[in-house]
Amino acid sequence: MAGNIILVAADVLLEACERILQKVGVPEDQARIIAEATVKADLRGVGSHGVLRLPAYVHRVQAGLMTADTRLRVVRERGATVLLDAQGGFGQVAGAYAMNHAIERARQWGVGVVAVRNANHFGIAAYYTMMALPHQMIGIAATNAAPSMAAWGGATAVLGTNPISVAIPTGQEVDIVLDMAASIVARGKIRSAASQGERIPLGWALDAEGRPTEDPEAALEGTLLPIGGPKGYGLALVVDALAGVLTGSDYSIYLASLHDLSRRASVGFVMQAVDIAAFSDWTEYTNDMASLIDVIRHSPRAPGVDRIYLPGEIEWLKEREYRQSGVPVPVKALKELKELSAELGATVDLPSS
Amino acid sequence: MAGNIILVAADVLLEACERILQKVGVPEDQARIIAEATVKADLRGVGSHGVLRLPAYVHRVQAGLMTADTRLRVVRERGATVLLDAQGGFGQVAGAYAMNHAIERARQWGVGVVAVRNANHFGIAAYYTMMALPHQMIGIAATNAAPSMAAWGGATAVLGTNPISVAIPTGQEVDIVLDMAASIVARGKIRSAASQGERIPLGWALDAEGRPTEDPEAALEGTLLPIGGPKGYGLALVVDALAGVLTGSDYSIYLASLHDLSRRASVGFVMQAVDIAAFSDWTEYTNDMASLIDVIRHSPRAPGVDRIYLPGEIEWLKEREYRQSGVPVPVKALKELKELSAELGATVDLPSS
């Protein structure tokens, strides 16, 4: 394992997150949800959305830009749909509540859609969509995010990478869990190329004038490129229209970044649950899913490819491994967490480097 | 205008389609729907899904592989959800009925989801999602299709390009209408490169062994590449799980192509309508949409870009133009339509080349 990474048991990370959050006024049950959603990202190998982000959440609470105790208000409801106001609270608390509520509506009406306004960054979308799986339901989630991509043909950031996640139960050991941003790569990948003095491939990003670039520093001043050109742009715009405009949250350039401590951010998202039983018998459905997965997995492979994975399977394998080995956390992130704990007077049991 | 293209008035095309369809037993009202959905593709500049396809539909009916009179049977229903069986009929008739029904459910429950099994190719997905717009609703549609893409890491076709469409009303002159396949390009684009003896860019397709290729002939023997690599693969798989498996239709390699006259095809799709009024006031919503669109449209442009378009706007501009000028139809497609009319004894008023 690289020297700048330490393996930490998931439970230790969970407890540290909970204690830190409680010190800034997050109620115990909510701290648990936020900690679980956050550590889940590290467990699935998506460290960029893991405990690395906890200090930013805490700083927003300390700056009075985020509410420590998330209280949800029902703004509208009709049949299978609900609009909630998270009143400036944690995205994780609002997200988990919204998906649970969508699942309840789906049990009654076949489908449930719960939209949330005025929340904050919720971590990985897959955490919420996967909540539908044990209920034999499909979970769908989309959220907007602070701008980092240009419109197709544009030169400045007007759209977030606005991720979409779909979790589909398979009745097999591994479920299908798609969780994708609308950009080719995350900014983190460009940042890491910059820090290692490497070039980036053409097609990842534009510079500040909207020109394709291989220079990571220029890319960080510029914008991320969407998948499939106008298609990824279209997906990101559609998500902003739904998660931002339809919910009554901030959108496009008006949505502040998690790290912008000068203003509040009103993040929006939409959670949907679809009950398999409203459309199919579980046995018939899982038989067909097994057959679909079998065809995909055992189709002839391209040269040099060892194995064909389902969406989310690599993350599932990582979680299985990291629950045994411990979760890899960058030394720097660990140091920040420890400093934060000390500053807040939280007793945590994090290992030293 | 190129010599191999003729401009034909939309009404003339519509009537020709209707008469041809009626001659093979399609009831008048259904022939109208199929003709409208088909000509709409030509009007929006998506000729690959337009009148070019009519002979294939007719041949399937003549071969006993498609039912001329589409009758829909309700298989299941619960609250906001319905599963319909199209019993081997036309995708266009089933699609229009399903979206209208989703709109009705959404009026009552805020959202409506209508899934269809055992249908056929329905043309462009945007035709159905746009049906939601005048009702101040969002329309969402996805369908599976015969395989043309490999799994990510695979070498043979196991997934269709499985398009997703989302139509979002804006209250402005132009609405947002995303309609995208999960592949970088359509097979038609590779076929046209092949016929003109041109190379294709790396990244469009793989050859039959799963190797990247610039040779269009090798690509036509191989598979299309998905947008964003594993992301487009994930989108296509998710759509097949929903439209294929969940509905109880054919999926993956088991779904026959429109042009395969050796067997029936059981295409599946899912239509969803979301009522804006369940989440927002129309005035507040359209004000925010106008502001979002304004930011996108007027953001600084990349070098050489004249204008930033919304998803579906280029198609909207084409429709406006073609309704005046006539619809461009390849001479070859026109000749086939005329031959088909003559063979069926249908009186049509199509121009000669």
Side-chain angles (χ1 to χ4, degrees):
Chain A
M1 184 111 304
N4 53 347
I5 294 281
I6 292 190
L7 295 176
V8 187
D11 282 350
V12 170
L13 278 180
L14 268 177
E15 209 176 294
C17 290
E18 279 182 70
R19 291 194 180 167
I20 289 169
L21 289 163
Q22 287 182 56
K23 283 290 178 188
V24 289
V26 177
E28 193 178 342
D29 55 334
Q30 295 181 24
R32 181 87 204 164
I33 295 167
I34 301 163
E36 275 181 356
T38 304
V39 174
K40 188 76 167 184
D42 292 300
L43 279 166
R44 289 176 67 81
V46 193
S48 60
H49 287 54
V51 295
L52 197 72
R53 300 258 178 158
L54 204 76
Y57 299 143
V58 167
H59 295 147
R60 287 193 88 73
V61 172
Q62 289 174 322
L65 300 172
M66 230 167 101
T67 308
D69 181 3
T70 305
R71 294 180 176 263
L72 296 158
R73 187 172 65 83
V74 175
V75 185
R76 286 172 190 250
E77 58 180 324
R78 187 205 297 175
T81 58
V82 184
L83 172 65
L84 300 172
D85 191 325
Q87 306 185 104
F90 275 81
Q92 290 85 348
V93 177
Y97 181 88
M99 183 54 88
N100 272 324
H101 199 73
I103 289 166
E104 271 175 46
R105 298 266 160 166
R107 211 182 305 280
Q108 193 167 3
W109 312 112
V111 60
V113 178
V114 180
V116 177
R117 67 157 63 148
N118 208 4
N120 282 282
H121 186 264
F122 70 17
I124 53 167
Y127 179 74
Y128 311 96
T129 57
M130 290 171 70
M131 290 170 61
L133 298 174
H135 301 278
Q136 304 186 345
M137 291 191 192
I138 293 162
I140 305 174
T143 185
N144 66 357
S148 55
M149 295 203 310
W152 188 241
T156 60
V158 290
L159 291 167
T161 55
N162 298 359
I164 296 171
S165 175
V166 183
I168 302 181
T170 63
Q172 315 277 297
E173 195 181 16
V174 188
D175 294 305
I176 292 173
V177 181
L178 179 68
D179 188 354
M180 53 172 266
S183 59
I184 305 248
V185 292
R187 270 180 78 84
K189 242 182 162 165
I190 295 174
R191 227 180 277 119
S192 117
S195 73
Q196 308 193 355
E198 288 165 2
R199 311 289 287 172
I200 55 169
L202 269 185
W204 279 17
L206 301 176
D207 67 16
E209 273 74 48
R211 293 171 304 209
T213 184
E214 295 179 64
D215 174 1
E217 300 290 354
L220 289 171
E221 301 288 309
T223 57
L224 299 174
L225 275 165
I227 57 168
K231 297 184 181 191
Y233 153 61
L235 283 176
L237 180 55
V238 158
V239 169
D240 211 11
L242 295 173
V245 173
L246 182 64
T247 66
S249 302
D250 291 341
Y251 48 84
S252 186
I253 55 170
Y254 306 112
L255 179 53
S257 148
L258 179 61
H259 304 287
D260 175 356
L261 290 177
S262 73
R263 53 187 176 130
R264 297 179 80 89
S266 171
V267 173
F269 40 80
V270 181
M271 303 283 176
Q272 175 166 338
V274 176
D275 192 356
I276 303 290
F279 296 96
S280 188
D281 286 317
W282 182 249
T283 309
E284 191 188 325
Y285 168 82
T286 51
N287 283 344
D288 283 343
M289 281 302 303
S291 150
L292 171 60
I293 289 171
D294 194 60
V295 171
I296 299 283
R297 269 199 203 293
H298 299 110
S299 60
R301 295 188 299 276
V305 173
D306 288 331
R307 181 168 168 186
I308 291 172
Y309 295 95
L310 297 180
E313 186 172 9
I314 292 173
E315 291 80 2
W316 180 84
L317 288 166
K318 283 193 177 157
E319 176 164 357
R320 202 170 58 170
E321 180 193 336
Y322 295 162
R323 285 211 182 270
Q324 298 296 320
S325 67
V327 184
V329 183
V331 169
K332 190 166 163 254
L334 210 56
K335 192 162 160 272
E336 269 180 44
L337 275 188
K338 291 174 82 166
E339 284 167 5
L340 192 61
S341 315
E343 182 193 315
L344 296 169
T347 318
V348 301
D349 189 28
L350 292 168
S352 294
S353 50
Chain B
M1 184 113 303
N4 55 348
I5 293 282
I6 292 189
L7 294 175
V8 187
D11 283 350
V12 170
L13 278 180
L14 267 176
E15 208 176 296
C17 289
E18 279 182 70
R19 290 194 179 166
I20 289 169
L21 289 163
Q22 287 182 56
K23 282 292 178 185
V24 289
V26 177
E28 194 178 340
D29 55 333
Q30 296 181 24
R32 181 87 204 166
I33 294 168
I34 301 162
E36 275 180 356
T38 305
V39 173
K40 188 76 167 184
D42 292 299
L43 278 166
R44 289 176 66 82
V46 194
S48 59
H49 288 54
V51 296
L52 198 75
R53 300 260 177 156
L54 204 76
Y57 299 143
V58 167
H59 295 148
R60 287 193 87 74
V61 172
Q62 289 174 322
L65 300 172
M66 229 167 100
T67 309
D69 182 2
T70 305
R71 294 179 177 263
L72 296 158
R73 188 172 65 82
V74 175
V75 184
R76 286 171 191 249
E77 58 181 325
R78 186 206 298 175
T81 58
V82 184
L83 173 65
L84 300 171
D85 191 324
Q87 305 185 103
F90 275 81
Q92 290 85 348
V93 177
Y97 182 88
M99 184 52 88
N100 273 323
H101 199 73
I103 289 165
E104 272 176 45
R105 299 264 161 168
R107 210 181 306 280
Q108 194 168 1
W109 312 112
V111 59
V113 177
V114 179
V116 177
R117 65 157 63 148
N118 208 5
N120 282 281
H121 186 265
F122 70 18
I124 52 167
Y127 179 74
Y128 310 96
T129 57
M130 290 171 71
M131 290 170 61
L133 298 174
H135 301 278
Q136 303 186 344
M137 291 190 192
I138 293 161
I140 305 173
T143 184
N144 65 358
S148 56
M149 294 203 310
W152 188 242
T156 61
V158 291
L159 290 167
T161 54
N162 298 358
I164 296 171
S165 175
V166 183
I168 301 181
T170 63
Q172 315 277 297
E173 196 181 15
V174 189
D175 293 306
I176 292 173
V177 181
L178 179 69
D179 189 354
M180 52 171 268
S183 60
I184 305 248
V185 293
R187 270 180 78 84
K189 242 183 162 162
I190 294 173
R191 226 180 278 120
S192 117
S195 74
Q196 306 191 356
E198 287 164 2
R199 311 289 288 174
I200 55 170
L202 270 185
W204 280 17
L206 301 175
D207 69 13
E209 274 75 47
R211 294 171 303 212
T213 183
E214 296 180 63
D215 174 0
E217 300 290 354
L220 290 171
E221 301 288 310
T223 58
L224 299 175
L225 275 165
I227 57 168
K231 297 184 181 191
Y233 154 60
L235 283 175
L237 180 55
V238 158
V239 169
D240 211 11
L242 295 173
V245 172
L246 182 65
T247 66
S249 302
D250 291 341
Y251 50 83
S252 185
I253 55 171
Y254 305 112
L255 179 54
S257 149
L258 180 61
H259 303 285
D260 175 356
L261 290 177
S262 73
R263 54 187 174 132
R264 297 179 80 90
S266 171
V267 173
F269 40 82
V270 181
M271 302 284 176
Q272 175 165 338
V274 176
D275 192 356
I276 303 289
F279 296 95
S280 188
D281 285 317
W282 182 248
T283 308
E284 191 188 326
Y285 168 81
T286 51
N287 283 345
D288 284 342
M289 281 301 303
S291 149
L292 171 61
I293 290 171
D294 195 59
V295 171
I296 300 284
R297 269 198 203 292
H298 299 111
S299 60
R301 296 187 299 276
V305 173
D306 288 332
R307 182 169 167 185
I308 291 172
Y309 295 95
L310 297 179
E313 186 172 9
I314 291 173
E315 292 78 2
W316 179 84
L317 288 166
K318 282 193 178 157
E319 176 164 357
R320 202 170 59 167
E321 179 193 337
Y322 295 163
R323 285 211 183 270
Q324 297 296 321
S325 67
V327 184
V329 183
V331 169
K332 191 165 162 255
L334 210 58
K335 191 161 162 273
E336 269 180 43
L337 275 188
K338 291 175 81 166
E339 283 168 6
L340 191 61
S341 314
E343 183 192 314
L344 296 169
T347 317
V348 302
D349 190 27
L350 293 168
S352 293
S353 51

